[in-house]
Amino acid sequence: MPRKTPLEMTRNIGIMAHIDAGKTTTTERILLYTGKIHRAGEVHEGAATMDYMEQERERGITITSAATTTYWHDCRINIIDTPGHVDFTVEVERSLRVLDGAVAVFCAKGGVESQSETVWHQAERYHVPRIAYVNKMDIVGADFFNVMDMMRERLGANPVALQLPIGSEADFRGVIDLVRMCAEVYYDDDGFDIRNEPIPSEYLEKAEQYRTALIEAVADESDELMELYLAGEPIPEDLLRSAIRSATINNNAVPTCCGSSYRNKGVQPLMDAIVDYLPSPLDLPPIEATSRDGKKTIEVTADDSAPFAALAFKIVTDSFVGKLAFCRVYAGSLKVGSVVYNANKGKRERVTKLLLMHADSRTELDEVYAGDIAAFVGLRETVTVETLCSEGKPLLMESMDFPEPVIRIAIESKTKAGQQKLSDALAKLAEEDPTFRSYSDEETGQTILAGMGELHLDIIVDRLIREFKVECRVGKPQVAYRESITKTVRTVGSYIRQNAGKGVYGHCAVEFAPGAPGSGFVFENAVPPSVLPPEYVKAVEEGIREASRSGSLGGYEVVDFSAKLVDGSVNELESCELAYKIAGSLAFREACEKGGSVLLEPFMKCEIVVPDEFLGDVMGNITARRGRIDGVEMRAGGQQCINALCPLSEMFGYATDLRSRTQGRGSFTMHFERYEEVPAQLAEKIIAQHKAEEEE
């Protein structure tokens, strides 16, 4: 069955922004005006189509990215609505990994906020072309031009206005189209009665100014346009659109629109911009993949006749069909019942169903093609960011690095019978979410959940209770401390034993040194194979790696150090891999004792927005929490934005404290920045408390 929509008329886009900028509301309006839904659901009412999880509707936030497909001007638009909360930033990351373009939504009052910066730089990492949409032009303090200035200053972007607002705040009534040089004025509250009118005289001068700026910003994309502009000749609309499209796809400019999604103004022009300026799969260069051995580069071109290649970017457990693997098809086509090859694991898998998703509803497909985003059913082995391809043409696409969890809680089943149920549920949740970890504490026997923040773990526990029907007891959130060494030391690991007349021999010398923050564990071998065979070298590395999961101070994971294997010896009759693994762990234990071990704690980058009159009190409170204030910025509407670096251990319950200090008018966001050394006196208390808890 041939594809219904040509590839050049396909758009794979994401909606991304800071929390509360209006991503989901914008997506709902897009679905309304394209006829996908007949009534837009409101986030604050818990009725948004794209927020289908119970937790999303109760809390009024997006937790998981949701996919849908709709049509505008004969163009197929595959949309992924992403979360704005920093705890779920991995959802944005893995969505951007497979998208061709993105709409960055900014609040007209808040402008570029902390999570806006995070998602913007995530998009930059994958070279995703973007258009900007300045939302909430109807609220007090809305300033379209200030947002564009903030984009230049904070993001290093080149925003180019496609539209200018007509009015602002309560008087916002439409936009000026700088490409067609006309006004689009809204005459009803539903966004359907839009009339093209001449530009109001009071806006004409500014419109001319910004149209000139638009032409100048994209003139380098077209010699013909440049010649017409220099000659003072009129520029055809089609030529200007083509130049804007080229500048967008090349990431030389960010076309910027404005509107108020909640008030149903500005969404249709935004959809026009998506179709006109964001790329199809054909507009982008081929994806670079490698052979399974990593030695050969393979180009993956968007072509239905090419060998099949797709990337699984998201795993979801569905109560009806089981495991769903959301996949972006980059090349080739695939029919239901076909066998695909998981290149990461070297295993064949059969696709039993293909589903086109609309939030949590689904339509079965017979076949998928290059450029499609669909859910595959039947993949037992496949997990996030693994490559699916033709067995005869194996290849590996670039994977992703996921951040390490910074907060943890202990959990236990209320009944013995429920323990297996808990383990199964945790395994499914870990498969869905690469930033979530669950493990058993070897010393206490407790099951530990680790995640990106309090909200992240709160949602995990809530899902355990509601979706998986697990009855459990949950401990208080705890900081995920780390340990590291501060001195370079050389240690010897020796494991020589006689057991029932049979000897066991493992011996190595290792030089341990502190590493740069964020470097993790780096292993280097300086011993030739003639002295120590590769299998014993690998065993030493594994022994060190496993031992590093529990340090000497408080049993926390040891990070940011290097281990250089400098010597070793072999007993041909008694040496074995297990002995060298133990020897490596013994060398590491000695290094922790001699290497000046220190305790590290996660520091969070915080952005706190408060009214002017509460600034002093809030800053004093941040300092009292061992925070360091990096600067204060003036925001619209008498608001001050405090940028600070704060230890996570001091930020539990801060949301409540901030609300009480600011009469409910303050807000804040934070995300993990780096680990820093804990002050010595405080470290002693933490270690002593940890040991006391273990003894209990």
Side-chain angles (χ1 to χ4, degrees):
M1 185 178 168
R3 64 162 61 244
K4 293 180 180 178
T5 306
L7 196 53
E8 62 269 20
M9 295 298 288
T10 298
R11 304 287 183 269
N12 291 314
I13 68 162
I15 312 290
M16 62 182 199
H18 186 86
I19 192 170
D20 288 337
K23 296 178 308 301
T24 301
T25 302
T26 301
T27 307
E28 292 289 313
R29 297 309 188 272
I30 290 174
L31 297 178
L32 175 68
Y33 297 129
T34 56
K36 188 75 178 183
I37 58 177
H38 301 292
R39 182 183 178 274
E42 304 299 350
V43 174
H44 63 275
E45 295 174 357
T49 307
M50 302 300 285
D51 287 346
Y52 60 87
M53 293 174 64
E54 289 182 42
Q55 295 88 345
E56 292 178 316
R57 293 185 168 178
E58 288 174 1
R59 299 166 188 260
I61 60 171
T62 302
I63 293 168
T64 184
S65 54
T68 188
T69 298
T70 191
Y71 293 83
W72 185 252
H73 299 332
D74 299 324
C75 185
R76 173 174 169 157
I77 306 175
N78 299 317
I79 302 172
I80 297 181
D81 179 29
T82 64
H85 198 285
V86 68
D87 283 15
F88 311 108
T89 190
V90 69
E91 290 284 335
V92 186
E93 180 94 14
R94 60 185 176 183
S95 298
L96 289 169
R97 170 69 178 82
V98 299
L99 292 172
D100 301 326
V103 178
V105 182
F106 299 96
C107 172
K109 179 181 177 181
V112 178
E113 299 173 272
S114 59
Q115 187 64 1
S116 309
E117 293 185 62
T118 301
V119 298
W120 189 270
H121 295 313
Q122 285 173 321
E124 277 187 338
R125 194 176 304 139
Y126 299 112
H127 310 291
V128 177
R130 283 141 283 173
I131 59 178
Y133 175 59
V134 181
N135 189 26
K136 300 189 178 183
M137 285 300 304
D138 61 308
I139 66 172
V140 176
D143 189 336
F144 175 75
F145 304 101
N146 181 55
V147 176
M148 290 185 64
D149 289 340
M150 291 177 78
M151 289 174 66
R152 291 186 191 95
E153 293 166 9
R154 295 193 176 188
L155 305 176
N158 180 25
V160 179
L162 293 182
Q163 302 164 357
L164 298 182
I166 302 175
S168 65
E169 301 181 351
D171 296 326
F172 178 67
R173 62 186 188 278
V175 298
I176 295 168
D177 186 330
L178 297 176
V179 175
R180 296 187 298 146
M181 285 301 281
C182 69
E184 296 185 17
V185 184
Y186 291 76
Y187 281 88
D188 68 350
D189 295 331
D190 299 322
F192 288 101
D193 186 2
I194 312 170
R195 303 177 194 177
N196 289 336
E197 300 178 354
I199 298 171
S201 57
E202 66 269 28
Y203 290 98
L204 196 56
E205 185 180 344
K206 182 167 277 190
E208 295 278 2
Q209 175 192 338
Y210 275 86
R211 178 179 164 85
T212 301
L214 169 63
I215 294 169
E216 289 176 349
V218 301
D220 288 341
E221 306 291 332
S222 167
D223 291 340
E224 185 183 352
L225 188 150
M226 178 70 82
E227 288 174 11
L228 290 172
Y229 173 63
L230 293 175
E233 297 289 330
I235 295 170
E237 280 182 32
D238 288 349
L239 183 60
L240 181 54
R241 291 186 196 279
S242 174
I244 297 170
R245 179 177 180 81
S246 175
T248 307
I249 293 170
N250 295 328
N251 280 307
N252 293 329
V254 181
T256 304
C257 308
C258 61
S260 169
S261 298
Y262 182 61
R263 300 296 179 190
N264 304 304
K265 294 179 174 70
V267 178
Q268 294 97 325
L270 172 64
M271 291 189 289
D272 290 340
I274 290 170
V275 171
D276 290 343
Y277 308 125
L278 288 181
S280 76
L282 293 174
D283 295 314
L284 299 173
I287 302 295
E288 284 197 355
T290 62
S291 56
R292 287 197 68 202
D293 59 8
K295 294 179 179 179
K296 185 181 175 184
T297 300
I298 301 169
E299 285 193 348
V300 180
T301 306
D303 183 352
D304 293 343
S305 61
F308 180 75
L311 189 76
F313 66 94
K314 178 181 170 74
I315 303 296
V316 172
T317 301
D318 187 275
S319 55
F320 296 102
V321 297
K323 180 176 169 180
L324 293 176
F326 283 73
C327 298
R328 161 69 191 268
V329 182
Y330 284 97
S333 61
L334 186 78
K335 292 182 178 179
V336 170
S338 301
V339 172
V340 294
Y341 183 67
N342 184 321
N344 297 80
K345 291 190 169 71
K347 293 187 176 182
R348 300 167 81 241
E349 299 223 66
R350 186 173 297 279
V351 180
T352 57
K353 285 185 181 179
L354 293 168
L355 302 175
L356 182 66
M357 302 300 294
H358 173 53
D360 60 340
S361 62
R362 58 189 70 84
T363 304
E364 291 198 25
L365 302 170
D366 297 322
E367 192 170 1
V368 291
Y369 305 90
D372 285 354
I373 294 175
F376 291 21
V377 181
L379 305 182
R380 297 175 179 269
E381 302 286 341
T382 301
V383 297
T384 302
V385 205
E386 289 190 339
T387 302
L388 303 172
C389 57
S390 302
E391 189 171 6
K393 300 281 186 179
L395 54 88
L396 283 170
M397 295 187 200
E398 184 185 359
S399 189
M400 288 173 59
D401 294 322
F402 298 108
E404 290 294 314
V406 295
I407 189 171
R408 61 186 190 176
I409 55 173
I411 190 170
E412 63 180 19
S413 172
K414 288 184 178 179
T415 62
K416 277 192 176 181
Q419 188 60 43
Q420 187 59 47
K421 198 175 182 180
L422 174 63
S423 297
D424 293 344
L426 290 175
K428 288 178 179 177
L429 289 170
E431 191 175 45
E432 287 186 21
D433 186 350
T435 60
F436 167 64
R437 306 272 196 283
S438 69
Y439 59 92
S440 180
D441 190 302
E442 293 179 3
E443 296 181 0
T444 64
Q446 288 180 310
T447 299
I448 305 297
L449 311 185
M452 301 306 296
E454 286 183 90
L455 179 61
H456 187 197
L457 292 182
D458 192 24
I459 296 296
I460 292 287
V461 171
D462 199 24
R463 290 187 65 190
L464 283 171
I465 296 168
R466 292 198 199 191
E467 290 179 35
F468 298 96
K469 311 300 182 199
V470 175
E471 294 183 3
C472 52
R473 285 186 285 268
V474 182
K476 291 181 180 178
Q478 295 181 338
V479 175
Y481 291 102
R482 297 284 188 266
E483 298 179 28
S484 193
I485 60 173
T486 58
K487 296 186 288 188
T488 300
V489 292
R490 176 170 171 159
T491 62
V492 175
S494 182
Y495 187 75
I496 305 170
R497 297 285 188 276
Q498 289 289 330
N499 187 10
K502 186 180 178 181
V504 179
Y505 184 94
H507 167 258
C508 63
V510 186
E511 186 177 278
F512 293 90
S519 61
F521 166 52
V522 179
F523 182 80
E524 182 185 352
N525 176 34
V527 181
S530 57
V531 176
L532 209 60
E535 60 268 26
Y536 295 156
V537 172
K538 188 177 179 183
V540 171
E541 181 182 357
E542 286 178 1
I544 297 171
R545 190 180 297 278
E546 287 187 13
S548 70
R549 291 170 188 164
S550 179
S552 60
L553 296 177
Y556 303 106
E557 184 181 353
V558 183
V559 297
D560 300 340
F561 71 98
S562 63
K564 185 178 181 181
L565 182 61
V566 293
D567 199 7
S569 61
V570 174
N571 184 315
E572 291 186 3
L573 296 175
E574 298 178 346
S575 287
C576 64
E577 290 181 34
L578 179 61
Y580 285 91
K581 188 174 180 179
I582 296 171
S585 68
L586 292 171
F588 174 78
R589 295 292 177 204
E590 188 180 343
C592 287
E593 299 293 335
K594 294 180 176 179
S597 289
V598 292
L599 196 65
L600 306 177
E601 63 179 333
F603 267 69
M604 315 299 285
K605 187 177 180 181
C606 301
E607 188 175 87
I608 306 143
V609 179
V610 298
D612 208 12
E613 61 262 38
F614 304 109
L615 181 64
D617 184 27
V618 172
M619 287 177 67
N621 183 248
I622 289 292
T623 305
R625 293 173 180 267
R626 295 194 290 123
R628 301 195 298 272
I629 295 170
D630 294 333
V632 180
E633 299 174 7
M634 193 73 181
R635 291 278 178 90
Q639 301 276 312
Q640 299 280 358
C641 178
I642 305 166
N643 294 298
L645 202 62
C646 305
L648 176 60
S649 60
E650 302 287 348
M651 298 303 287
F652 290 130
Y654 182 66
T656 305
D657 188 17
L658 181 64
R659 280 196 294 271
S660 66
R661 291 177 182 274
T662 61
Q663 300 174 7
R665 295 163 64 191
S667 63
F668 86 107
T669 58
M670 65 179 185
H671 64 265
F672 172 70
E673 181 72 9
R674 60 177 178 265
Y675 274 91
E676 292 190 6
E677 186 178 337
V678 180
Q681 282 186 319
L682 186 57
E684 289 175 9
K685 289 181 182 177
I686 293 168
I687 294 164
Q689 186 180 346
H690 180 76
K691 289 179 178 176
E693 288 172 356
E694 286 183 345
E695 290 171 1
E696 288 178 2

